[in-house]
PDB file of all heavy atoms in Angstrom:
ATOM      1  N   SER B  10      -8.734  -2.495   5.395  1.00 97.00           N
ATOM      2  CA  SER B  10      -9.964  -1.787   4.954  1.00 97.00           C
ATOM      3  C   SER B  10     -10.885  -1.557   6.147  1.00 97.00           C
ATOM      4  O   SER B  10     -10.910  -2.392   7.061  1.00 97.00           O
ATOM      5  CB  SER B  10     -10.715  -2.795   3.952  1.00 97.00           C
ATOM      6  OG  SER B  10     -11.947  -2.177   3.638  1.00 97.00           O
ATOM      7  N   ARG B  12     -14.082  -1.270   5.572  1.00 95.00           N
ATOM      8  CA  ARG B  12     -15.485  -1.497   5.132  1.00 95.00           C
ATOM      9  C   ARG B  12     -16.050  -2.817   5.791  1.00 95.00           C
ATOM     10  O   ARG B  12     -17.104  -3.290   5.364  1.00 95.00           O
ATOM     11  CB  ARG B  12     -15.504  -1.642   3.631  1.00 95.00           C
ATOM     12  CG  ARG B  12     -15.213  -0.250   2.968  1.00 95.00           C
ATOM     13  CD  ARG B  12     -15.343  -0.318   1.506  1.00 95.00           C
ATOM     14  NE  ARG B  12     -16.706  -0.638   1.053  1.00 95.00           N
ATOM     15  CZ  ARG B  12     -16.915  -1.614   0.169  1.00 95.00           C
ATOM     16  NH1 ARG B  12     -15.949  -2.302  -0.356  1.00 95.00           N
ATOM     17  NH2 ARG B  12     -18.143  -1.878  -0.167  1.00 95.00           N
ATOM     18  N   ALA B  16     -15.968  -5.479   2.880  1.00 96.00           N
ATOM     19  CA  ALA B  16     -14.714  -5.168   2.216  1.00 96.00           C
ATOM     20  C   ALA B  16     -14.269  -6.246   1.223  1.00 96.00           C
ATOM     21  O   ALA B  16     -14.305  -7.542   1.437  1.00 96.00           O
ATOM     22  CB  ALA B  16     -13.620  -5.022   3.209  1.00 96.00           C
ATOM     23  N   SER B  17     -13.782  -5.835   0.056  1.00 97.00           N
ATOM     24  CA  SER B  17     -13.201  -6.764  -0.926  1.00 97.00           C
ATOM     25  C   SER B  17     -11.941  -7.349  -0.364  1.00 97.00           C
ATOM     26  O   SER B  17     -11.602  -8.504  -0.531  1.00 97.00           O
ATOM     27  CB  SER B  17     -12.836  -6.055  -2.207  1.00 97.00           C
ATOM     28  OG  SER B  17     -14.036  -5.466  -2.780  1.00 97.00           O
ATOM     29  N   SER B  18     -11.196  -6.423   0.412  1.00 98.00           N
ATOM     30  CA  SER B  18      -9.894  -6.916   1.065  1.00 98.00           C
ATOM     31  C   SER B  18     -10.162  -8.195   1.929  1.00 98.00           C
ATOM     32  O   SER B  18      -9.350  -9.078   1.958  1.00 98.00           O
ATOM     33  CB  SER B  18      -9.379  -5.819   1.945  1.00 98.00           C
ATOM     34  OG  SER B  18      -9.067  -4.692   1.165  1.00 98.00           O
ATOM     35  N   PRO B  68      -7.213  -1.570   0.529  1.00 98.00           N
ATOM     36  CA  PRO B  68      -7.619  -0.853  -0.708  1.00 98.00           C
ATOM     37  C   PRO B  68      -6.625   0.264  -1.013  1.00 98.00           C
ATOM     38  O   PRO B  68      -5.918   0.761  -0.162  1.00 98.00           O
ATOM     39  CB  PRO B  68      -8.984  -0.251  -0.349  1.00 98.00           C
ATOM     40  CG  PRO B  68      -8.935  -0.040   1.187  1.00 98.00           C
ATOM     41  CD  PRO B  68      -8.010  -1.146   1.662  1.00 98.00           C
ATOM     42  N   LEU B  69      -6.600   0.645  -2.325  1.00 96.00           N
ATOM     43  CA  LEU B  69      -5.792   1.792  -2.715  1.00 96.00           C
ATOM     44  C   LEU B  69      -6.547   3.057  -2.460  1.00 96.00           C
ATOM     45  O   LEU B  69      -7.729   3.143  -2.836  1.00 96.00           O
ATOM     46  CB  LEU B  69      -5.511   1.671  -4.246  1.00 96.00           C
ATOM     47  CG  LEU B  69      -4.703   2.804  -4.799  1.00 96.00           C
ATOM     48  CD1 LEU B  69      -3.154   2.586  -4.446  1.00 96.00           C
ATOM     49  CD2 LEU B  69      -4.792   2.824  -6.377  1.00 96.00           C
ATOM     50  N   PHE B  70      -5.982   4.060  -1.755  1.00 93.00           N
ATOM     51  CA  PHE B  70      -6.636   5.257  -1.492  1.00 93.00           C
ATOM     52  C   PHE B  70      -5.782   6.354  -2.131  1.00 93.00           C
ATOM     53  O   PHE B  70      -4.604   6.507  -1.597  1.00 93.00           O
ATOM     54  CB  PHE B  70      -6.929   5.592   0.012  1.00 93.00           C
ATOM     55  CG  PHE B  70      -8.120   4.968   0.576  1.00 93.00           C
ATOM     56  CD1 PHE B  70      -8.846   4.010  -0.050  1.00 93.00           C
ATOM     57  CD2 PHE B  70      -8.580   5.447   1.805  1.00 93.00           C
ATOM     58  CE1 PHE B  70     -10.051   3.462   0.482  1.00 93.00           C
ATOM     59  CE2 PHE B  70      -9.776   4.974   2.400  1.00 93.00           C
ATOM     60  CZ  PHE B  70     -10.485   3.951   1.738  1.00 93.00           C
ATOM     61  N   THR B  71      -6.349   7.123  -2.990  1.00 86.00           N
ATOM     62  CA  THR B  71      -5.606   8.271  -3.627  1.00 86.00           C
ATOM     63  C   THR B  71      -4.131   7.839  -4.013  1.00 86.00           C
ATOM     64  O   THR B  71      -3.211   8.483  -3.651  1.00 86.00           O
ATOM     65  CB  THR B  71      -5.601   9.482  -2.649  1.00 86.00           C
ATOM     66  OG1 THR B  71      -6.690   9.464  -1.781  1.00 86.00           O
ATOM     67  CG2 THR B  71      -5.608  10.716  -3.404  1.00 86.00           C
ATOM     68  N   TYR B  72      -4.163   6.756  -4.730  1.00 89.00           N
ATOM     69  CA  TYR B  72      -2.842   6.233  -5.186  1.00 89.00           C
ATOM     70  C   TYR B  72      -1.929   5.768  -4.170  1.00 89.00           C
ATOM     71  O   TYR B  72      -0.684   5.661  -4.360  1.00 89.00           O
ATOM     72  CB  TYR B  72      -2.135   7.192  -6.253  1.00 89.00           C
ATOM     73  CG  TYR B  72      -2.967   7.362  -7.435  1.00 89.00           C
ATOM     74  CD1 TYR B  72      -3.911   8.424  -7.482  1.00 89.00           C
ATOM     75  CD2 TYR B  72      -2.860   6.475  -8.569  1.00 89.00           C
ATOM     76  CE1 TYR B  72      -4.654   8.623  -8.659  1.00 89.00           C
ATOM     77  CE2 TYR B  72      -3.654   6.713  -9.669  1.00 89.00           C
ATOM     78  CZ  TYR B  72      -4.586   7.726  -9.689  1.00 89.00           C
ATOM     79  OH  TYR B  72      -5.356   7.905 -10.844  1.00 89.00           O
ATOM     80  N   ASN B 105      -6.298  -3.779  -3.667  1.00 98.00           N
ATOM     81  CA  ASN B 105      -7.329  -3.714  -4.649  1.00 98.00           C
ATOM     82  C   ASN B 105      -7.708  -2.300  -4.852  1.00 98.00           C
ATOM     83  O   ASN B 105      -7.626  -1.438  -3.901  1.00 98.00           O
ATOM     84  CB  ASN B 105      -8.483  -4.633  -4.352  1.00 98.00           C
ATOM     85  CG  ASN B 105      -9.477  -4.028  -3.398  1.00 98.00           C
ATOM     86  OD1 ASN B 105     -10.502  -3.418  -3.859  1.00 98.00           O
ATOM     87  ND2 ASN B 105      -9.202  -4.192  -2.141  1.00 98.00           N
ATOM     88  N   CYS B 106      -8.118  -1.910  -6.129  1.00 95.00           N
ATOM     89  CA  CYS B 106      -8.419  -0.505  -6.285  1.00 95.00           C
ATOM     90  C   CYS B 106      -9.802  -0.440  -7.193  1.00 95.00           C
ATOM     91  O   CYS B 106     -10.119  -1.488  -7.743  1.00 95.00           O
ATOM     92  CB  CYS B 106      -7.355   0.256  -7.043  1.00 95.00           C
ATOM     93  SG  CYS B 106      -7.129  -0.212  -8.743  1.00 95.00           S
ATOM     94  N   GLY B 107     -10.358   0.689  -7.306  1.00 91.00           N
ATOM     95  CA  GLY B 107     -11.561   0.803  -8.035  1.00 91.00           C
ATOM     96  C   GLY B 107     -11.389   1.029  -9.482  1.00 91.00           C
ATOM     97  O   GLY B 107     -12.268   0.617 -10.292  1.00 91.00           O
ATOM     98  N   PHE B 108     -10.235   1.590  -9.894  1.00 87.00           N
ATOM     99  CA  PHE B 108     -10.012   1.863 -11.337  1.00 87.00           C
ATOM    100  C   PHE B 108      -9.702   0.555 -12.099  1.00 87.00           C
ATOM    101  O   PHE B 108      -9.341  -0.442 -11.481  1.00 87.00           O
ATOM    102  CB  PHE B 108      -8.836   2.862 -11.467  1.00 87.00           C
ATOM    103  CG  PHE B 108      -9.121   4.253 -10.914  1.00 87.00           C
ATOM    104  CD1 PHE B 108      -8.126   5.154 -10.823  1.00 87.00           C
ATOM    105  CD2 PHE B 108     -10.366   4.563 -10.416  1.00 87.00           C
ATOM    106  CE1 PHE B 108      -8.375   6.458 -10.358  1.00 87.00           C
ATOM    107  CE2 PHE B 108     -10.586   5.798  -9.892  1.00 87.00           C
ATOM    108  CZ  PHE B 108      -9.625   6.802  -9.850  1.00 87.00           C
ATOM    109  N   ILE B 113      -1.521   1.364 -11.981  1.00 91.00           N
ATOM    110  CA  ILE B 113      -1.477   2.630 -11.345  1.00 91.00           C
ATOM    111  C   ILE B 113      -0.956   2.513  -9.943  1.00 91.00           C
ATOM    112  O   ILE B 113      -0.733   3.545  -9.255  1.00 91.00           O
ATOM    113  CB  ILE B 113      -2.936   3.277 -11.217  1.00 91.00           C
ATOM    114  CG1 ILE B 113      -3.871   2.411 -10.467  1.00 91.00           C
ATOM    115  CG2 ILE B 113      -3.431   3.626 -12.630  1.00 91.00           C
ATOM    116  CD1 ILE B 113      -5.165   3.181 -10.078  1.00 91.00           C
ATOM    117  N   GLY B 141     -11.865  -3.649  -7.845  1.00 93.00           N
ATOM    118  CA  GLY B 141     -12.006  -4.386  -6.592  1.00 93.00           C
ATOM    119  C   GLY B 141     -13.240  -5.268  -6.336  1.00 93.00           C
ATOM    120  O   GLY B 141     -13.030  -6.484  -6.193  1.00 93.00           O
ATOM    121  N   PRO B 142     -14.409  -4.727  -6.391  1.00 92.00           N
ATOM    122  CA  PRO B 142     -15.587  -5.543  -6.118  1.00 92.00           C
ATOM    123  C   PRO B 142     -15.816  -6.654  -7.195  1.00 92.00           C
ATOM    124  O   PRO B 142     -16.165  -7.778  -6.828  1.00 92.00           O
ATOM    125  CB  PRO B 142     -16.751  -4.489  -6.248  1.00 92.00           C
ATOM    126  CG  PRO B 142     -16.166  -3.189  -6.033  1.00 92.00           C
ATOM    127  CD  PRO B 142     -14.780  -3.268  -6.558  1.00 92.00           C
TER     128      PRO B 142
HETATM  129  C1  FMN C 201     -10.990   7.877   0.007  1.00 82.43           C
HETATM  130  C2  FMN C 201     -10.825   6.904  -1.146  1.00 82.43           C
HETATM  131  C3  FMN C 201      -9.842   7.048  -2.081  1.00 82.43           C
HETATM  132  C4  FMN C 201      -9.742   6.126  -3.168  1.00 82.43           C
HETATM  133  N1  FMN C 201      -8.761   6.280  -4.038  1.00 82.43           N
HETATM  134  C5  FMN C 201      -8.681   5.438  -5.137  1.00 82.43           C
HETATM  135  C6  FMN C 201      -7.639   5.639  -6.088  1.00 82.43           C
HETATM  136  O1  FMN C 201      -6.846   6.512  -6.034  1.00 82.43           O
HETATM  137  N2  FMN C 201      -7.601   4.781  -7.132  1.00 82.43           N
HETATM  138  C7  FMN C 201      -8.543   3.712  -7.287  1.00 82.43           C
HETATM  139  O2  FMN C 201      -8.418   2.988  -8.274  1.00 82.43           O
HETATM  140  N3  FMN C 201      -9.520   3.492  -6.369  1.00 82.43           N
HETATM  141  C8  FMN C 201      -9.580   4.378  -5.245  1.00 82.43           C
HETATM  142  N4  FMN C 201     -10.531   4.201  -4.320  1.00 82.43           N
HETATM  143  C9  FMN C 201     -11.449   3.032  -4.488  1.00 82.43           C
HETATM  144  C10 FMN C 201     -11.108   1.826  -3.567  1.00 82.43           C
HETATM  145  O3  FMN C 201      -9.747   1.470  -3.718  1.00 82.43           O
HETATM  146  C11 FMN C 201     -11.970   0.644  -4.010  1.00 82.43           C
HETATM  147  O4  FMN C 201     -13.308   0.985  -3.805  1.00 82.43           O
HETATM  148  C12 FMN C 201     -11.655  -0.683  -3.265  1.00 82.43           C
HETATM  149  O5  FMN C 201     -12.260  -1.694  -3.993  1.00 82.43           O
HETATM  150  C13 FMN C 201     -12.156  -0.729  -1.756  1.00 82.43           C
HETATM  151  O6  FMN C 201     -11.656  -1.903  -1.228  1.00 82.43           O
HETATM  152  P1  FMN C 201     -12.172  -2.508   0.098  1.00 82.43           P
HETATM  153  O7  FMN C 201     -13.573  -2.967  -0.134  1.00 82.43           O
HETATM  154  O8  FMN C 201     -11.214  -3.623   0.441  1.00 82.43           O
HETATM  155  O9  FMN C 201     -12.107  -1.415   1.220  1.00 82.43           O
HETATM  156  C14 FMN C 201     -10.685   5.045  -3.280  1.00 82.43           C
HETATM  157  C15 FMN C 201     -11.671   4.894  -2.268  1.00 82.43           C
HETATM  158  C16 FMN C 201     -11.808   5.845  -1.329  1.00 82.43           C
HETATM  159  C17 FMN C 201     -12.938   5.689  -0.289  1.00 82.43           C
END
Side-chain angles (χ1 to χ4, degrees):
Chain B
S10 175
R12 293 184 62 229
S17 302
S18 298
L69 182 76
F70 272 19
T71 334
Y72 297 91
N105 84 95
C106 72
F108 294 175
I113 60 167

